[in-house]
Amino acid sequence: MTPKLLLDALIPLMADLSREMHDSERYRRLLDTLRMLFPCDAAALLRLDGEVLVPLAINGLSSDTLGRRFRVSEHPRFRILLSNVPPTRFPANSSLPDPYDGLVEAHSGELHVHDCMGCQITMNGRPWGLLTLDALGPGRFDSVDTASLQAFASLAAATVNVAERIHDLAVTSEQERQRAEAYRLAANQSRRELIGQSPAHKKMMKEIRLAGPSIMTVLITGETGTGKELVANAIHAASPRARKPIISLNCAALPETLVESELFGHVRGAFSGAVSDRRGKFELADGGTLFLDEVGELSLAVQAKLLRVLQSGQIQRVGSDEEHKVDVRVIAATNRNLEEEVRQGRYRSDFYHRLSVYPLTAPPLRERGHDILLISGFFLEENRFRLGLLSLRLATDAQEVLLGYRWPGNVRELEHVIARTALKALAKQPERPRILTLAAEDFDLVNEIKPLTLEQEEQTQTELDLQNGSSLRDAVSAYERRLISASLARNGGNVASTARELGIDRANLNRMAKRLGLK
């Protein structure tokens, strides 16, 4: 490569340094130029995050690679690249496993990477990450000038430096310190990160960044399995309370008799089995955050006591007359429609409004598009490690199946499907493979048929009545009979509650029931 060719390619990247653009676009242009200058089938930019390499940008690798997290201890090639400052090239016949085997898009079979090289990106004298180049044919990098690659790595470091400095301007150093500490605590507790690039995911992350630094109570709503607890952890990590703990309580997992003790604590002798004083979740979370999962399951009595704590900050242990002052931020989550629960009288209006100062929705997986593949990449890497494979990947038809499925169980269902499918696919192999590719036929996914709503069922039945020769009056009477019977069943035969639900006077309901022959 001539110096002029190198300079001509690098000038646009240097000009980008003074332009305002998103990090992902900077990194994309960087890898485009890298592949233009050096003969490779795939390239990647990875950031070193503790003991894990996180892909920030890829070119020529399968899209799920962005969701993978490569543990350096498991990949000897990455360890070598991180320990050498100059660029390193591995022999084509190297026995060291390549982390990208089976992930290069240029080939659809099981062909392994044959030529591999990379270089360390250094920031302030420390390894920041890696640039990697891979080719499917041996000898592709024979003509590569390592000095030119080193020069490119220096420009990559400058690009990363600019991106990070712009990011640093957006937050204060104190917030960054607190967030780093929160990430450390989260790592110690094996918490997962929020992965995604879809508009729905970006909107949610924007809401998290807005809500995090505030003192507002947050109510996270969303379907089961959407990762509401991960959202709560992210809000806590983005808050000034990040150095303090986030304490979780699943309100649906405890009998009502124990909820108060779990929340507020108890003193010795307060009830049978209370052999000693015990602090509750509010005291444990003092100075930090309390996450109330499945908050829609709380009884009206517990709601009233929680409302008092949220208003005054005072708690009282079960069996004690003494009050304690606590400083706790509450984040709650539910898959119920609490507004409807309030209208039905099953939830306190004042408690609901106290919880939902900042409402935030965790989007269902079916609305997140190609995030499905990124999250799949995360779970594929987890299961690759669990199963002791060199690579675990998705075939193209499998990706289409995952993208086409509605995921009623959301991310939790995806996690279980990947784990189950990988285990079953491995068991089918006559010999243990190094690379396992999951095909569409390996997935036992059948898209759900959305059930009719009650109104749609009634409309359909009424149309059938008319088609079968019933008069309009008879069809309407049959519709009224079904509607009232269903409402009575839902309300346990209580006429007053049924009348309120149907929006009619109790006396009118009695007359209609008598006319329709209902008891």
Side-chain angles (χ1 to χ4, degrees), residues 108-150:
S108 58
E110 298 294 337
L111 188 63
H112 305 306
V113 171
H114 283 291
D115 217 342
C116 169
M117 67 184 306
C119 57
Q120 181 189 126
I121 294 178
T122 304
M123 297 278 286
N124 300 320
R126 293 183 176 182
W128 176 91
L130 294 176
L131 267 179
T132 62
L133 299 82
D134 291 276
L136 293 175
R140 290 280 298 279
F141 297 148
D142 288 348
S143 61
V144 171
D145 177 17
T146 56
S148 297
L149 183 57
Q150 184 67 61

Side-chain angles (χ1 to χ4, degrees), residues 457-467 475 479 482:
E457 289 180 352
E458 293 294 350
Q459 180 181 352
T460 301
Q461 185 60 51
T462 302
E463 291 172 353
L464 288 174
D465 289 342
L466 290 171
Q467 291 171 8
Y479 172 78
R482 287 193 298 270

Side-chain angles (χ1 to χ4, degrees), residues 232 235-236 239 241-242 244-248 281 284-291 327-331:
I235 294 171
H236 174 73
S239 76
R241 299 172 179 263
K244 295 288 186 175
I246 175 170
I247 304 297
S248 300
K281 300 296 186 184
L284 293 173
D286 193 18
T289 302
L290 177 61
F291 174 55
D327 174 24
V328 175
R329 181 190 192 179
V330 171
I331 299 176

